[in-house]
Amino acid sequence: MTTDLGESWTMDSREMKNIDNKQDVKPWEQLLSMYPGLVVPIQESWKDPLSIRKIYMITPTKTRAEQIADLTRLAQTLYLIPNLFWIIVEDESQRTGRLHRLLQSFNLPFIHLNIATPDYLKPTKNQSTWRRPRGMHQKNIALQWVRENTSTNEDALVYFADDDNTYHWKLFQEIRKIQLVGVWPVGLVGELLYERPICLNGKVYSWFHYIYRKRKFPTDMAGFAIHLGLVHKHSNYLFNVSANSVGEQESNILGTMTSMNQLECLANNASKIYVWHTKTQSMFLTTTEKLRNAGMKYDLISEL
């Protein structure tokens, strides 16, 4: 995406006919006049001096009926965020054309990678998804790509973002403040309305959390970001992909790359919630066999 906001957008003929071309009104300016609520996030995000610091955002994703909807919602938040590079890692043995076409349609800077999660690590039919570590192979491939395609001296940040979470645009402003590792609250997680670090003068001295009480760093993956330099410094670090690693992934990476007294409390001393661990409910879909018996035939995944 270019830094000239006016040239980053196009309009169809129905919109263009209402514009006097002699006045050289840019599409982005026209958009702001139509939707004045965008003015504040656009101005704050794009004029923030810290926006010079790039964010590498890592998002694992897998084929499911809700995938397109989730990624579309997320992409529309990312339009408000300057200087962000999206690393999408698909849980498939091959990259799917349907996903790649979708990502291209967003016109956001991205790289599309893939690796399949082994069957033995997938939850069984009657097993809750949280009982298996999800997205770990995908995160590891993304870390490998980052190490191979960025400079050890680059002043940038790395953030892990699930495709079905909900993100406020102000979160990315907070991420750009990080010197080494920053932390903040996450809403709707851990059987609570929120989990959060309890901070004093910008430092963590305790945590508000309920489940997995023995975690060293009791936070969700959405609740921290790290400086790119740490990813290069700890070049051998990979997420544990074993089945018994549920609930420990955040503590493992933070315990490797930082310590409690080095954590930086962000989001107004961890008092503001800018990310929510929302989960898209899986749709009940009529089986293809029932549809065939009703004289109907379609492939939902390939048609979306």
Side-chain angles (χ1 to χ4, degrees):
M1 181 176 289
T2 65
T3 55
D4 182 347
L5 300 184
E7 296 176 359
S8 299
W9 291 81
T10 59
M11 304 179 71
D12 64 28
S13 58
R14 292 171 298 174
E15 295 166 313
M16 289 298 292
K17 68 181 181 181
N18 296 320
I19 299 175
D20 182 357
N21 292 329
K22 294 181 180 179
Q23 296 178 3
D24 194 26
V25 177
K26 294 182 178 181
W28 186 259
E29 294 170 348
Q30 180 75 1
L31 188 63
L32 290 181
S33 69
M34 295 166 60
Y35 302 100
L38 288 175
V39 172
V40 172
I42 292 298
Q43 288 182 342
E44 287 197 23
S45 292
W46 289 80
K47 292 184 178 180
D48 183 357
L50 292 178
S51 66
I52 193 173
R53 307 183 75 200
K54 180 174 287 187
I55 297 173
Y56 291 95
M57 193 177 88
I58 296 171
T59 299
T61 189
K62 66 177 181 179
T63 300
R64 51 197 172 87
E66 305 80 18
Q67 181 186 35
I68 298 296
D70 284 337
L71 289 172
T72 298
R73 178 177 58 181
L74 177 53
Q76 290 175 350
T77 296
L78 299 184
Y79 286 138
L80 301 175
I81 314 303
N83 205 13
L84 181 143
F85 190 82
W86 199 6
I87 305 170
I88 302 97
V89 191
E90 192 174 8
D91 189 350
E92 296 287 348
S93 57
Q94 295 181 345
R95 294 189 305 167
T96 58
R98 60 183 288 276
L99 178 57
H100 198 74
R101 289 190 296 272
L102 177 74
L103 297 174
Q104 287 180 315
S105 74
F106 294 146
N107 292 313
L108 291 165
F110 77 97
I111 183 71
H112 179 190
L113 309 175
N114 71 285
I115 185 173
T117 299
D119 289 341
Y120 76 91
L121 283 177
K122 296 179 181 179
T124 59
K125 183 178 181 180
N126 298 319
Q127 190 176 46
S128 299
T129 56
W130 63 267
R131 292 192 177 276
R132 286 288 186 268
R134 293 175 293 160
M136 297 305 129
H137 284 82
Q138 291 72 37
K139 290 184 178 75
N140 285 341
I141 289 297
L143 288 175
Q144 179 181 333
W145 184 93
V146 167
R147 288 169 177 139
E148 293 175 354
N149 292 276
T150 63
S151 167
T152 57
N153 299 320
E154 183 179 353
D155 183 23
L157 296 313
V158 176
Y159 181 52
F160 300 97
D162 287 350
D163 60 1
D164 59 350
N165 283 354
T166 302
Y167 304 89
H168 196 293
W169 58 269
K170 286 187 176 181
L171 173 67
F172 299 91
Q173 284 186 309
E174 297 298 313
I175 291 176
R176 296 189 206 275
K177 299 176 183 177
I178 292 172
Q179 298 304 306
L180 289 175
V181 180
V183 292
W184 48 80
V186 178
L188 306 178
V189 69
E191 300 183 10
L192 297 169
L193 285 176
Y194 59 84
E195 289 182 340
R196 66 179 287 255
I198 300 174
C199 302
L200 182 65
N201 298 324
K203 294 296 181 181
V204 178
Y205 68 91
S206 184
W207 299 84
F208 180 75
H209 68 292
Y210 176 67
I211 62 172
Y212 295 118
R213 304 287 293 177
K214 295 182 180 181
R215 289 179 290 167
K216 182 178 179 180
F217 296 88
T219 184
D220 184 75
M221 196 72 69
F224 66 90
I226 57 182
H227 194 279
L228 175 63
L230 291 175
V231 174
H232 283 288
K233 179 179 179 180
H234 301 277
S235 58
N236 293 324
Y237 177 82
L238 292 174
F239 286 101
N240 183 354
V241 298
S242 66
N244 61 0
S245 62
V246 177
E248 297 297 331
Q249 300 295 344
E250 296 86 355
S251 291
N252 288 342
I253 186 172
L254 291 175
T256 299
M257 299 191 180
T258 189
S259 60
M260 191 75 75
N261 62 5
Q262 291 180 315
L263 295 177
E264 305 154 37
C265 282
L266 299 175
N268 193 27
N269 229 27
S271 66
K272 300 291 186 181
I273 299 175
Y274 292 135
V275 57
W276 294 262
H277 193 264
T278 48
K279 296 181 180 180
T280 303
Q281 182 177 353
S282 298
M283 293 291 296
F284 173 79
L285 300 175
T286 302
T287 64
T288 55
E289 182 179 0
K290 287 184 177 180
L291 290 173
R292 187 166 53 249
N293 292 337
M296 299 172 61
K297 181 181 180 181
Y298 82 138
D299 183 343
L300 174 65
I301 296 300
S302 64
E303 289 190 8
L304 283 181

